[in-house]
Structure formats: C-alpha cells, structure tokens
Amino acid sequence: LVNPLACHETELSVEEDAIAPHERLRIGVVGTGPAGMAFATTAATIGHHVTLFDKSNEIGGQFNMAKRIPGKEEFHETVRYFRHQLAKLERKGKLEMKLGTEISHADMENTSGDIDKWVVAAGVDPRVPPIPGLDHPNVLSYIDVLRHKTPVGQKVAIIGAGGIGFDVAEYLIHHDDNADHDLTADEPNAGDFLKEWGVDPQNASRGGLAMPDESIHRPKRQIVLMQRKKGKLGAGLGKTTGWIHRATLAKSGAVEMIGSVSYEKVDDDGRLHITIGKGDKAETRVLDVDNIVVCAGQISKKDLEKEAKGTALADKVFLIGGAYEAGELDAKRAIDMGTRLALKIHEEGVVPGKHKFQSGEGPEEKLFQVLKRFT
C-alpha cells in the first residue's frame, strides 16, 4: 500500500536528488490525503521543492476516517510513516508544510511567481442522493460519523452498500460512543479475535477449530444496510477482503441487508420510507430508526482545476487521487498515481489530462482477468 515500488523495482526508482538542478520545479500540493502525501514525499526526495497545503490541521485526509474502522487500525501507522517522511524532508529544506491553510484559485494566481506547477489532491465530497427529507436532523453523512464523531442512535439505516457503507456498518456495530479513544494498530486483542472466530491456537481440537465465542463483541446497534442494485450486497468489495466484511456483519445478527431498494422520502419524524423490488412484487416499508447515514458514493473535488481553465494556470494544474477519480475510495491507487506523477512531472510531455501513469499488465494480471470471466 505505502510502497508502490514493490514488485515494480525495475520500472520505478526513487533516488535522492535524482532530478538535474535545471529540471527541478517549485510545486504546490493541495491536500494531504494518500495521493498528496505520496506525491509530496516522492517529488521532494528526487529534488523538487514542494509546498504542501491542507485546510485541516492534521495530515492524512481519508486515512483519518479509515483508521477508525475495525480491522483498519494499521492506517494509524500509515499516517505515522508519512508524517515522519514529510518532517524529515522539511528539516532538509526540500518541503514546506502549511496546514490549516485553504487554497483558492485566487491564492494560486497570487503565488504564480513562486510555484511552477500545482498538484491538486483535494479528495472527494459525499454524494447526496435526491431523496426528499434528507435535510432532517436525524440524517448524517459518513463524514459526520467517522470524522466528526457525531453520536449515533441504537437503530440505524444506512443508504448505500459499497465499501463505505460496509465500513460504516462495521464501525457502528463495534463502536461505543462512550469510548475514550480509537484503537491503534497494536491494541486489538488477537486472543479475542481467535475466540470470536472459533480458532484454537493450541490445536487441541480437531482441525484447530473451536466453538466461536459470541460474547466477545456484542453488537452495539441494530442496522439496516441497503442498496439500489439487485443482488448480493457487497458484491463489489475487494476479492480478498470482501468476504470477511460480509461475514462479520452476517455473524453479528444485528445487520439486515436489503437490495433493490428505492428510497422514497424521509418524513418529518425522521423515518425512512422505502420500496423494495418493483412491479406487483414491490413491498413498501417504513424504517423507524434513530439515524439515517448516507453512504451513497463520492464526487471528485475538481473546483480548482475547473477555475484554472482559460487562465494562465490552465496547463499547470494536475488532479490526482480522489480529485481525479472518485469511484470507491482506493488508497493504493491514489498512492501509486501520486508517486508516478512525481517521477515524471518535470518532463515536457506531461501536461494536465495526460498525466496518469500506470504499469503495464503483467502475465499474472492477464491471467487473472481471463479467470474473472468464469466467476
């Protein structure tokens, strides 16, 4: 995740001061999420001077929400790693961090004499679906829950069952609003995990299997997780990790999963009216819940790029990460994109719109794509 050079050592190389002095640029980077941090550390390492801006007072971007999800506590360590790398580069005079600073198009124009190119890694905004009544105070976004730590009631409806919807559901069944802190990477109890999933570490029982201990993590809430699409919820989750997300929610006994849902409205009492299915078999339900959490996808934050069009900055603003492509949030993709652009941004043919670089398909990837057709 953190090292995009892994398995690409013959293709990518990040060496200190590798860029010739006459090719070195002064680069402004907006956003300290995965893409912004990866670009900044790589560009500064190879010789460019980077000024890193973020309106938040802490680095990390989406990592600061993801690290709160059970099973993703290692993202605390990812942020720690980048914090160390950025501080080291700052001490060497290769990089300057300006946290708590929001950058506008006017700011970019006013600093045009000090910055040669801009890299915008501003991330995404939550997509707000057109459902009547979403302005009700019982309705929250996933950002309210994961970043702002807004208290959530005991009965919850989640709109959207992509990666973020599953993450929020898992967070809510485990998280106690009275907890004094978020778990870090070394705090989850391995022994409790083995007991919960029926693993005998002593191999005293046949096959190393034991009776699962259902008392380890009793669900903190009752949840209804919904999606518009027909079919199995979570079908688009990662091939290697999706099964554990689905299994965790199913095992809790606290999560009802419903597909083929039409969201009709949120009424004055904060209840969600839905229709399940279509035609003669359609069923209407009213979900009497304490909160509704919207996890209906993301929209790229492209404002700075749009405002630059038709100005002197038009060929100097590059989007990366979620700002370039929202989709399902993918830190690995964002870090890879940031790193690869940092290695090439000084080249003459690298211009906005022609700045996404990726490795060619290896034989393993080609074989995987063929096998996918039969699954």
Side-chain angles (χ1 to χ4, degrees):
L1 173 69
V2 177
N3 181 17
L5 277 63
C7 300
H8 298 285
E9 290 86 351
T10 60
E11 177 191 356
L12 302 176
S13 176
V14 179
E15 297 181 8
E16 190 158 0
D17 296 328
I19 301 297
H22 70 278
E23 294 182 308
R24 294 176 185 175
L25 301 172
R26 299 164 300 174
I27 304 173
V29 180
V30 181
T32 60
M37 293 189 296
F39 178 92
T41 53
T42 302
T45 297
I46 65 176
H48 300 299
H49 185 272
V50 176
T51 306
L52 187 56
F53 302 89
D54 200 300
K55 66 179 180 180
S56 173
N57 289 314
E58 62 176 351
I59 67 168
Q62 299 282 345
F63 274 145
N64 292 318
M65 292 188 287
K67 69 187 183 184
R68 305 191 73 203
I69 307 301
K72 296 187 177 183
E73 294 87 359
E74 74 273 12
F75 287 148
H76 283 276
E77 293 301 297
T78 308
V79 176
R80 180 198 59 78
Y81 164 80
F82 277 115
R83 185 182 298 115
H84 173 77
Q85 294 298 105
L86 293 168
K88 183 170 67 173
L89 291 163
E90 194 168 27
R91 288 194 298 272
K92 291 181 177 180
K94 293 171 174 283
L95 180 144
E96 182 180 2
M97 279 201 289
K98 295 188 176 183
L99 301 181
T101 304
E102 186 168 6
I103 293 295
S104 67
H105 175 71
D107 296 325
M108 293 167 68
E109 287 187 317
N110 292 335
T111 57
S112 59
D114 301 316
I115 291 179
D116 301 311
K117 294 187 179 182
W118 287 90
V119 174
V120 176
V124 297
D125 283 325
R127 190 180 75 83
V128 181
I131 303 172
L134 276 190
D135 56 347
H136 192 282
N138 285 359
V139 179
L140 307 172
S141 77
Y142 66 86
I143 290 180
D144 294 322
V145 176
L146 297 177
R147 179 179 295 163
H148 302 308
K149 303 181 182 181
T150 303
V152 180
Q154 296 301 302
K155 296 183 294 181
V156 184
I158 298 178
I159 295 175
I164 294 176
F166 268 81
D167 278 352
V168 169
E170 191 159 351
Y171 171 79
L172 290 175
I173 62 172
H174 287 95
H175 179 73
D176 184 348
D177 284 336
N178 296 318
D180 58 358
H181 75 293
D182 298 325
L183 294 182
T184 55
D186 57 350
E187 288 185 278
N189 189 305
D192 285 349
F193 175 86
L194 297 178
K195 291 177 183 177
E196 183 180 9
W197 290 93
V199 179
D200 177 9
Q202 308 302 323
N203 280 320
S205 56
R206 187 173 181 178
L209 301 177
M211 287 296 295
D213 186 343
E214 304 291 348
S215 67
I216 297 295
H217 288 119
R218 295 194 182 279
K220 302 293 193 297
R221 297 170 176 84
Q222 294 292 317
I223 293 172
V224 181
L225 180 62
M226 297 163 287
Q227 69 178 20
R228 291 184 184 274
K229 292 185 292 187
K230 292 176 62 178
K232 180 174 67 175
L233 273 68
L237 299 177
K239 296 292 183 185
T240 57
T241 56
W243 68 272
I244 190 66
H245 289 297
R246 290 189 292 269
T248 300
L249 298 189
K251 181 173 172 292
S252 73
V255 181
E256 180 184 3
M257 301 188 193
I258 310 175
S260 192
V261 172
S262 297
Y263 309 106
E264 306 300 340
K265 67 175 181 178
V266 178
D267 66 25
D268 293 341
D269 295 319
R271 299 177 301 179
L272 179 60
H273 295 242
I274 63 173
T275 301
I276 305 168
K278 295 181 180 180
D280 296 338
K281 296 183 179 179
E283 171 194 353
T284 60
R285 283 179 61 179
V286 178
L287 304 180
D288 189 4
V289 293
D290 300 311
N291 289 106
I292 300 163
V293 183
V294 180
C295 305
Q298 306 84 33
I299 299 172
S300 296
K301 297 174 73 171
K302 300 177 181 282
D303 294 352
L304 292 175
E305 182 217 28
K306 290 177 180 177
E307 291 180 71
K309 289 181 178 178
T311 74
L313 293 172
D315 61 346
K316 298 178 181 179
V317 179
F318 299 78
L319 296 177
I320 60 173
Y324 177 82
E325 181 181 11
E328 288 294 335
L329 296 181
D330 187 335
K332 181 175 182 292
R333 183 183 68 205
I335 289 172
D336 183 74
M337 185 180 187
T339 301
R340 289 175 182 272
L341 178 60
L343 293 171
K344 288 181 173 288
I345 194 169
H346 63 286
E347 296 179 6
E348 186 175 343
V350 178
V351 295
K354 296 182 179 179
H355 66 280
K356 183 179 180 181
F357 306 99
Q358 56 191 41
S359 63
E361 269 191 2
E364 297 87 354
E365 179 65 21
K366 291 178 181 177
L367 178 60
F368 174 70
Q369 295 299 332
V370 171
L371 293 175
K372 274 178 65 177
R373 300 173 191 169
F374 302 98
T375 60

